[in-house]
């Protein structure tokens, strides 16, 4: 990023500073950015919380959050004191006009003290129903007026369906211009997700194969082993489709399927992603079961421990119909992808926390070798590993050592951690810095958010109209309901075991020949 994009002075205003997001993500990321010298000297964080919030307690909680969640782990006293000197608080009710008069005064005072016109980032780390009031009050207090320096960050979920997303966009654009609005999806800040752009558009190698001629199908898995934890109340009103598919999984699909942008600028990249969403074949309302499967976990076992079913989780209705698992098949109706299915699945209480994209290539058109030459026949596959390790893996067939022509799959592996030996930034670090620099490439534009909801609308409606009769339908610790297997089996395919797990389960002496890749 060019030096001229570095802001000279920044104020980062967190609405909902006492909440979980500020504690676990925002403050640790800001701490890390300051520690790594990405932030200017003239930098301030203003936390806004309830009027009853206790500042000393909030500071203690922030430090504990940084100790626990920042990339560098527990912080030294001196480093904390430095960061802490940039923090201040405004105990205030977020729906009262006086709060914004006070905030405007504080911001003006900082500008005066610094003799600068600081960038102002308004981060809405609040429940979605608070957004409208905050945006309205920011507008009334004239804090959004300066287009070049006021920015607002809106968290997911961005609405809960197409009409609420449209309403939210209207609310935001009444006060802010689109260029000031940053709809965040933290998945897009992950190194490998960004690297998908590099892999595809900085190499000639893959592009000729990246189409219906060579790719049989694509699988996108975002699996969580956690249950809902303390967020049962939120999750029970949301479910897997809204919480994960509408944002993370569809955004990954866009990066896999998009056409090459002319340049790496926010509008070019986002135009190409929006085209993919527009090209998604509408799910047929009367036949959604052929394209999608929902599930909810019951009691089961994970890592040798018994775990409760979803309906027994705190703050979840005991007769809840909320899906904790969703699998959806999409087609992208354009020249490149005609007929290639994209299978998406996500769920809670699955066997491991793993995110992976697998592009499976078609078999060779004519088999030169006799069937007995293959020790372990498997298709070529390109794997984009997102979690827990970030990397790219390529599986192809090789001759096994020995006098006979024996063929076995091998795996070429590139892992960020091994190859570059420098820790990758946390997704929130990357994205917060992008907001401060005004770079919206990795953020969702209004039309993208709406198109993603539109793609899911038939499914949301069908699932809401007909309550599931078989919930819970998968035990915790398994890969979801049986119907998810049937979804692929009807096409003669099956879900792949995520490669990271497959490798972990494969003892070293049996391991497929693995080739490590280091920077060239
Ligand atoms: N937590 C995550 O990991 C995560 C991940 C992705 C997206 N998000 C999104 O980020 C947003 C925030 O999530 P969260 O988990 O941080 O929620 P949270 O823990 O409920 O925090 C919300 C904060 O807003 C404060 N607040 C609410 N109404 C207020 C009012 N009228 N005046 C003053 N303060 C008020 C709350 O204060 P009190 O606690 O005192 O009521 C609380 O500190 C949500 O939209 C969520 O969907 C969160």
């Amino acid at each position: 990023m060019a030096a001229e994009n570095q802001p000279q002075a920044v104020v980062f205003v967190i609405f909902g500073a006492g909440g979980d997001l500020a504690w676990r993500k925002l403050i640790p990321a800001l701490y890390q950015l300051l520690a790594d010298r990405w932030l200017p000297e003239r930098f301030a964080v203003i936390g806004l919380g309830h009027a009853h919030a206790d500042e000393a307690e909030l500071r203690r909680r922030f430090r504990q959050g940084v100790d626990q969640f920042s990339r560098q782990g527990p912080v030294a006293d001196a480093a904390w004191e430095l960061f802490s000197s940039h923090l201040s608080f405004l105990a205030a009710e977020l729906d009262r006009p006086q709060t914004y008069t006070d905030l405007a005064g504080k911001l003006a005072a900082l500008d005066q003290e610094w003799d600068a016109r600081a960038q102002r980032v308004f981060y809405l780390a609040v429940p979605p129903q608070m957004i409208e009031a905050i945006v309205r009050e920011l507008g009334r207090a004239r804090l959004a007026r300066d287009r070049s320096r006021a920015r607002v960050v809106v968290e997911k979920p961005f609405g809960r369906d197409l009409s609420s997303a449209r309403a939210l966009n209207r609310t935001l654009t009444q006060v802010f211009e689109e260029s000031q609005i940053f709809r965040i999806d933290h998945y897009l800040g992950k190194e490998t997700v960004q690297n998908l752009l590099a892999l595809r558009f900085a190499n000639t190698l893959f592009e000729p194969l990246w189409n219906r001629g060579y790719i049989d199908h694509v699988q996108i898995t975002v699996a969580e082993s956690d249950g809902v934890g303390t967020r049962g109340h939120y999750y029970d009103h949301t479910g897997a489709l809204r919480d994960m598919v509408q944002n993370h999984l569809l955004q990954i699909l866009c990066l896999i399927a998009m056409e090459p942008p002319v340049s790496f600028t926010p509008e070019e990249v986002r135009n190409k992603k929006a085209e993919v969403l527009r090209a998604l074949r509408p799910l047929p309302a009367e036949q959604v079961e052929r394209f999608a499967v929902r599930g909810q976990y019951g009691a089961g076992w994970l890592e040798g421990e018994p775990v409760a079913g979803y309906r027994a989780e705190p703050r979840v209705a005991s007769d809840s119909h909320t899906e904790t698992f969703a699998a959806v098949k999409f087609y992208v109706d354009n020249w490149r992808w005609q007929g290639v299915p994209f299978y998406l699945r996500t769920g809670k209480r699955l066997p491991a926390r793993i995110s992976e994209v697998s592009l499976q290539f078609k078999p060779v058109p004519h088999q030169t070798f006799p069937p007995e030459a293959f020790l372990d026949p498997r298709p070529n596959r390109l794997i984009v590993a997102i979690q827990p390790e970030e990397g790219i893996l390529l599986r192809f067939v090789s001759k096994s050592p020995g006098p006979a022509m024996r063929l076995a799959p091998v795996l070429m592996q590139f892992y960020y951690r091994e190859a570059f030996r420098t820790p990758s930034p946390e997704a929130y670090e990357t994205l917060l810095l992008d907001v401060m620099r005004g770079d919206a490439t990795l953020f969702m534009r209004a039309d993208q958010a709406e198109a993603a909801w539109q793609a899911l609308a038939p499914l949301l409606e069908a699932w809401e109209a007909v309550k599931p009769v078989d919930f819970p339908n998968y035990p915790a610790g398994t890969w979801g309901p049986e119907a998810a297997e049937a979804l692929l089996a009807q096409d003669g395919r099956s879900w792949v075991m995520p490669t990271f797990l497959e490798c972990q389960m494969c003892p070293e002496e049996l391991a497929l020949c693995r080739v490590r890749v280091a920077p060239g």
Side-chain angles (χ1 to χ4, degrees):
M1 183 61 61
E4 62 266 25
N5 286 334
Q6 296 288 15
Q8 299 304 307
V10 177
V11 189
F12 200 92
V13 183
I14 304 178
F15 293 86
D20 180 75
L21 185 72
W23 170 61
R24 280 195 308 123
K25 298 289 183 190
L26 304 183
I27 294 294
L30 290 170
Y31 167 81
Q32 198 67 59
L33 287 173
L34 188 78
D36 292 347
R37 300 175 192 279
W38 284 107
L39 300 179
E41 271 176 32
R42 291 177 290 185
F43 166 70
V45 180
I46 303 176
L48 273 80
H50 268 307
H52 57 71
D54 172 349
E55 177 170 340
E57 173 52 29
L58 265 180
R59 279 185 192 272
R60 260 195 305 279
R61 185 170 147 81
F62 280 178
R63 174 156 189 182
Q64 187 271 325
V66 171
D67 283 342
Q68 192 175 340
F69 302 113
S70 78
R71 200 156 32 81
Q72 284 176 352
V75 293
D77 286 346
W80 173 254
E81 289 310 323
L82 176 67
F83 179 72
S84 188
S85 68
H86 293 268
L87 284 178
S88 65
F89 296 90
L90 202 55
E93 296 306 318
L94 301 183
D95 43 7
R96 302 231 178 107
Q98 185 57 41
T99 302
Y100 298 81
T101 312
D102 297 346
L103 178 62
K106 225 169 152 44
L107 292 170
L110 279 170
D111 274 0
Q112 205 168 16
E113 180 189 327
W114 290 340
D115 191 20
R117 296 176 70 254
Q119 292 289 349
R120 295 165 175 180
V121 177
F122 301 113
Y123 201 108
L124 309 188
V126 289
Q129 60 273 20
M130 289 296 305
I131 294 176
E132 187 169 352
I134 297 174
V135 169
R136 194 184 52 234
E137 293 303 334
L138 284 171
R140 240 183 238 161
R142 301 175 154 239
L143 286 171
R145 262 205 328 175
D146 190 336
R147 309 285 184 226
S148 63
R149 65 172 178 150
R151 285 160 201 163
V152 64
V153 186
V154 188
E155 267 289 348
K156 70 152 208 180
F158 193 84
R160 53 176 288 111
D161 54 22
L162 180 57
S163 67
S164 56
R166 279 184 178 148
L168 187 48
N169 277 331
R170 270 196 303 276
T171 299
L172 288 164
T173 50
Q174 273 162 12
V175 174
F176 292 94
E177 277 186 0
E178 180 62 32
S179 62
Q180 297 175 279
I181 304 169
F182 289 73
R183 297 171 193 81
I184 195 165
D185 177 346
H186 75 270
Y187 249 67
L188 297 181
K190 288 181 181 288
E191 207 80 81
T192 321
V193 177
Q194 294 177 68
N195 194 35
L196 262 171
L197 293 166
L199 177 84
R200 291 198 53 204
F201 306 129
N203 295 293
T204 48
L205 199 56
F206 302 105
E207 176 56 19
L209 308 179
W210 209 268
N211 56 53
R212 63 190 299 273
Y214 294 92
I215 292 179
D216 178 75
H217 73 279
V218 178
Q219 295 190 16
I220 303 174
T221 296
V222 177
E224 299 179 288
S225 54
D226 285 347
V228 286
T230 55
R231 305 187 77 217
H233 181 66
Y234 158 78
Y235 195 86
D236 210 32
H237 290 93
T238 309
L241 209 52
R242 291 184 167 94
D243 192 43
M244 302 295 282
V245 180
Q246 189 271 344
N247 34 69
H248 304 333
L249 281 92
L250 281 179
Q251 285 297 311
I252 296 172
L253 186 154
C254 286
L255 291 168
I256 299 286
M258 69 193 270
E259 293 300 316
V262 172
S263 61
F264 190 55
T265 56
E267 285 325 296
E268 292 291 348
V269 172
R270 298 195 301 177
N271 285 345
K272 296 299 179 196
K273 287 170 69 182
E275 274 174 18
V276 175
L277 291 168
R278 284 206 305 277
L280 290 178
R281 186 180 302 172
L283 297 169
E286 64 293 348
Q287 284 185 320
V288 289
E289 64 288 348
R290 284 186 43 232
F291 288 82
V293 169
R294 57 181 155 171
Q296 187 191 76
Y297 63 86
W301 291 79
L302 252 165
E303 294 172 2
E305 299 287 333
V307 293
Y310 176 69
R311 291 175 177 180
E313 298 275 19
R315 304 182 77 190
V316 168
S318 57
D319 60 350
S320 171
H321 290 121
T322 301
E323 81 283 357
T324 60
F325 176 97
V328 192
K329 172 168 73 167
F330 279 109
Y331 286 100
V332 180
D333 278 338
N334 61 16
W335 274 47
R336 186 186 285 267
W337 294 114
Q338 195 50 240
V340 178
F342 285 72
Y343 300 105
L344 280 49
R345 69 173 163 172
T346 182
K348 288 196 175 289
R349 287 291 190 221
L350 301 187
R353 180 170 171 264
I354 288 217
S355 301
E356 197 172 284
V357 182
S358 165
L359 291 98
Q360 182 159 315
F361 291 89
K362 290 186 170 173
V364 293
H366 164 72
Q367 194 47 268
T368 304
F369 302 98
E372 58 273 21
F374 289 89
L375 297 174
D376 180 10
R378 297 194 205 195
N380 293 161
R381 201 174 278 155
L382 179 73
I383 296 123
V384 180
I386 301 169
Q387 218 163 242
E389 287 284 350
E390 299 192 75
I392 289 171
L393 300 86
L394 186 62
R395 197 170 72 191
F396 53 94
V397 173
S398 168
K399 181 184 174 302
S400 267
M405 188 47 123
R406 292 270 190 242
L407 304 171
V410 295
L411 193 63
M412 192 158 20
Q413 306 184 33
F414 152 74
Y415 282 116
Y416 266 92
R417 197 170 42 84
E418 290 177 355
F420 290 112
R421 295 179 194 277
T422 51
S424 295
E426 284 288 325
Y428 271 95
E429 292 171 40
T430 305
L431 295 173
L432 298 191
L433 199 56
D434 281 354
V435 177
M436 294 181 218
R437 291 161 163 172
D439 182 345
T441 311
L442 300 177
F443 294 80
M444 269 197 275
R445 214 168 48 188
D447 57 336
Q448 280 178 278
E450 291 180 15
W453 281 119
Q454 186 142 30
L456 293 182
L459 202 47
L460 288 165
E461 281 162 26
W463 284 3
E464 251 154 42
V466 182
K467 300 287 172 224
V469 288
D470 59 345
F471 276 11
N473 60 357
Y474 70 98
T478 66
W479 283 104
E482 280 174 17
E485 280 304 331
L487 183 72
L488 271 69
Q490 70 184 349
D491 299 341
R493 301 188 176 95
S494 59
W495 292 104
V496 294
M497 167 76 82
T499 310
F500 184 79
L501 274 190
E502 198 180 25
C503 289
Q504 272 191 334
M505 287 173 0
C506 183
E508 208 44 49
E509 64 275 18
L510 292 181
L512 307 172
C513 171
R514 293 180 200 157
V515 188
R516 303 274 166 180
V517 181

